[in-house]
Amino acid sequence: MKKIILFTLLLSVSISCTDGFEEINTNKNQPTTSQSKQLLPNVIFNLANTNVTNSFNFGDILAQYGGNYEYNELDVYNWGADNRFWGMYKWLNDIYDIKKQAIALNDKNYEAISLILETYTMSIITDSYGYAPYLEASKGEEGILKPKYDSQEAIYTQLLLNLDQANAIIDTKTKVEGDLLFGGDMLKWKKFANSLHLRLLMRISNKVNVSTKLNEIISKPAQYPVFASNADNATYFYSGSYPNISPMSDGINRLYGYNIVIPSTNLVNTLFANNDPRLEEWIDPIVGTTNHLGLEPGLTLDQIGEPKKYSRRAEDYFYTKTKITAIFMTYSELNFLLAEASQRNLITTGSAQAYYNTAVEASFKQWNVLIPTDYLTTTAPYNATTEVLYTQKWLALYHTGVESWFDWKRTGKPSFIKAGPGAKNNGKVPRRIMYPSLEQSVNAENNSAALQKMGGDDINAKVWWDNF
């Protein structure tokens, strides 16, 4: 009988100790999930770091602003499986978390920001690889562990819808928290959305008739505001205090890692021929001299020789921790896009020459360099029959992620971008990068299906919009 009483007592104590345990031990004042304003700074910072790394270590080489004096497999196009842009899916996951929470809370501004960042991120992934998971990406919680690859045409259809939706739902009268890119200014996010929209429309303009949408955006500035000056540029500025330092700067990188890329003959000679003062801003002369010498793109290592005989990237950008920025898109690029659209009669508003002049002037101002008085009249005046528009755009896109490579794939210009004498790719500049080796094993069926449609994992295969 005593045992029964003791057991009953212990049972009642056990029940009373666990009853309400979860409620008692839950802090009702502490959120159980991260809020959008907490996730957004991390997303922007990581995208900025990815932008800078891919610009200095990849985009600058593919667009032939410079070349490696060691480890130059990129330069000679001896490429294999590559996950450099596939890794951006990590940030896409966080962007989706922002979007889910924004939708749940009916917060239109955070939803719009997530749509813009999603579009920017996914456009880089698909423009680098071609087919890629998108509509089923980042849905592990829903049980989709092996997402299907979408065609680039399908991806672009959704990306353009994203930007239309973002523009429509933004409330410019309110600000958001955690915005390291525009300080919470939703009008600037709206301008970024529409400027990015124009970039992507021009990207596919050789495959799709985009004239109607281009004209709609340009002719309705109240509904579709775009960048109006350099103050609107989508540029991330590092504070210079650790850890808010660029991955190419002193304190994070080594001078060797910064200087392993030597400025190319294309960059040095173009600037020098135009007496362009951006030369002194971007490039240091040969050590101990005031002379400049660029590296010919695509040389073999034995042809390069000692790096000390060449010009160098301006080391002030390495040592001054606030000078390197992450450039997503600029007012200058926007005007170059409009100049091309006007030159090709895709838009009816404005003139190609006016857009071109504005674009060139904006580039000089962006780099805090005074434009020579005769630059647009004598040195590099607009001319629809030459490559001057594309050459000046190439200069203006310096360090803008991998945008110059994408633009070359679309236009074939500047035409001086060619495979060098040491190239191992049958004398061709690559048009895409190969899928990561891990993807070929963990998602083999969907990866294989995409490769069949693309004609194999070939760095010379053209992506959907690549049409020159």
Side-chain angles (χ1 to χ4, degrees), residues 353-397:
Q353 181 175 352
Y355 286 129
Y356 169 84
N357 289 349
T358 298
V360 175
E361 290 171 349
S363 177
F364 277 86
K365 290 178 182 177
Q366 175 188 334
W367 295 96
N368 296 312
V369 175
L370 186 64
I371 186 171
T373 55
D374 63 345
Y375 197 87
L376 292 172
T377 56
T378 304
T379 305
Y382 172 75
N383 188 325
T385 66
T386 70
E387 289 191 10
V388 66
L389 186 156
Y390 299 96
T391 300
Q392 286 298 316
K393 183 181 182 183
W394 177 79
L395 289 172
L397 287 174

Side-chain angles (χ1 to χ4, degrees), residues 32-51:
T32 57
T33 58
S34 295
Q35 299 178 19
S36 295
K37 65 181 180 181
Q38 297 168 324
L39 290 169
L40 185 58
N42 188 59
V43 167
I44 292 174
F45 181 68
N46 283 312
L47 285 176
N49 284 346
T50 301
N51 175 294

Side-chain angles (χ1 to χ4, degrees), residues 21-30 32:
F21 178 84
E22 183 176 350
E23 181 179 358
I24 293 171
N25 287 277
T26 298
N27 184 349
K28 296 180 180 180
N29 295 317
Q30 180 176 332
T32 57

Side-chain angles (χ1 to χ4, degrees), residues 404-461:
S404 282
W405 180 47
F406 293 158
D407 215 47
W408 173 82
K409 293 199 297 179
R410 178 178 67 85
T411 65
K413 300 171 183 174
S415 58
F416 55 64
I417 297 179
K418 298 177 180 178
K424 297 181 179 181
N425 188 40
N426 295 319
K428 299 176 181 178
V429 178
R431 313 298 275 255
R432 61 177 293 275
I433 61 178
M434 297 171 66
Y435 292 117
S437 54
L438 183 61
E439 185 68 10
Q440 297 173 37
S441 58
V442 300
N443 196 11
E445 183 178 348
N446 290 317
N447 180 263
S448 178
L451 290 176
Q452 288 180 4
K453 295 172 183 175
M454 295 177 62
D457 207 358
D458 183 358
I459 62 175
N460 297 311

